Amino acid sequence: MASCKTLILEYSSQNTTFGIDDLCNWISAIAKYSRNTVACLLSKLVEAGDLIRIERGLYSKAANKSQFRAIPTEKEIAIVEKLKQKFPFAPLCVYNGSVLSSIQHHLSANNITYIETDRSAIEAVFNYLKENDDRVWMTPDADFIYRYVNLAKGGIIIKPLVTESPIQTINGISTPTLEKLLIDVRKDPDFSYFLGAEADRMLENAINIYAVNKTRLNRYARRRGITNLLLT
């Protein structure tokens, strides 16, 4: 008798997306595995990267769509190493604005390094980085960005890390998930140039290209006060 894991992967290869109910019904016609066994294995396969949980109870084979990864540049890695030594207890989420290029419709260069940390640590992190770089800005608003910041030339923007933000660890560094970025571009003033049709197109592109966890997206959207974007 085929193992439950083998059957799950076989079913995922035959179906672009699938729910646990349909999966269990299909498996029950072949072998006797309980729903709890199937559910536990689904979780393990998601953790292993073999499957993607699109939303609650809905899955897809990882190979069907790409997984978004905000891979840190050498600059980001070096900055994080310094910050961890100086502020070992401050939470950090770091990425480069160029990671957004794959989902943009009208491509606009953004080489800014974004550093998100606890509100209590923002000013200390800013002062520390400002000692060696004059292109460091702390929670700039949309007008400041428009007047004084050339995104293409790079620099560092430091801003608050929203509690319970969906993040992932890449190369030992906390980076934003795609779901976090899709909401942040609609809420953060330093991303104001994405507002309107461009933000909508970015969401559409993200769903077409990557595996978007709709449950995570909706949860973070509500966390940030967005209620007109919830996906089903």
Side-chain angles (χ1 to χ4, degrees):
M1 182 173 65
S3 69
C4 188
K5 176 181 177 180
T6 299
L7 291 174
I8 293 173
L9 292 176
E10 180 181 344
Y11 190 77
S12 70
S13 297
Q14 299 170 4
N15 298 270
T16 304
T17 60
F18 61 93
I20 187 171
D21 290 336
D22 290 336
L23 172 62
C24 287
N25 289 336
W26 182 79
I27 289 178
S28 65
I30 302 172
K32 293 183 178 180
Y33 290 111
S34 70
R35 184 185 179 89
N36 285 340
T37 298
V38 174
C40 288
L41 278 171
L42 281 172
S43 296
K44 290 181 179 180
L45 288 169
V46 169
E47 291 177 4
D50 295 313
L51 297 179
I52 298 170
R53 183 182 290 107
I54 299 175
E55 57 184 277
R56 185 181 297 276
L58 189 64
Y59 300 84
S60 173
K61 190 173 182 179
N64 291 337
K65 284 190 176 181
S66 301
Q67 295 190 64
F68 178 87
R69 288 166 57 83
I71 299 176
T73 65
E74 291 185 3
K75 178 181 179 180
E76 273 81 69
I77 293 173
I79 290 175
V80 170
E81 289 178 349
K82 292 179 180 179
L83 291 178
K84 284 184 175 180
Q85 291 179 2
K86 185 68 175 181
F87 310 100
F89 301 110
L92 297 170
C93 179
V94 181
Y95 63 99
N96 189 276
S98 61
V99 301
L100 294 165
S101 61
S102 65
I103 58 173
Q104 287 181 238
H105 177 54
H106 298 293
L107 187 61
S108 52
N110 184 339
N111 295 308
I112 293 290
T113 292
Y114 292 89
I115 299 175
E116 300 182 16
T117 187
D118 189 81
R119 289 183 181 276
S120 63
I122 286 180
E123 189 166 357
V125 170
F126 169 75
N127 290 332
Y128 175 69
L129 293 177
K130 189 71 175 176
E131 292 176 359
N132 299 308
D133 193 333
D134 61 356
R135 292 182 59 80
V136 182
W137 304 282
M138 182 173 64
T139 59
D141 60 22
D143 184 64
F144 186 93
I145 293 289
Y146 177 77
R147 291 175 179 274
Y148 305 113
V149 180
N150 186 328
L151 299 176
K153 287 186 176 181
I156 300 173
I157 287 179
I158 304 167
K159 56 185 182 180
L161 176 61
V162 177
T163 56
E164 299 183 23
S165 290
I167 58 179
Q168 58 187 334
T169 301
I170 299 177
N171 298 333
I173 296 176
S174 293
T175 64
T177 63
L178 177 59
E179 294 80 13
K180 172 174 164 56
L181 290 173
L182 289 172
I183 299 303
D184 287 348
V185 298
R186 292 172 177 269
K187 289 293 295 186
D188 292 358
D190 48 282
F191 286 134
S192 60
Y193 63 99
F194 284 138
L195 290 180
E198 180 64 12
D200 292 337
R201 183 60 69 88
M202 290 172 71
L203 176 61
E204 180 182 337
N205 289 341
I207 292 174
N208 290 333
I209 298 171
Y210 298 106
V212 177
N213 187 315
K214 295 178 182 178
T215 300
R216 180 188 295 159
L217 182 79
N218 290 340
R219 183 185 303 116
Y220 188 58
R222 287 191 291 265
R223 183 83 180 160
R224 302 220 59 188
I226 297 177
T227 57
N228 62 344
L229 188 70
L230 304 186
L231 303 181
T232 57

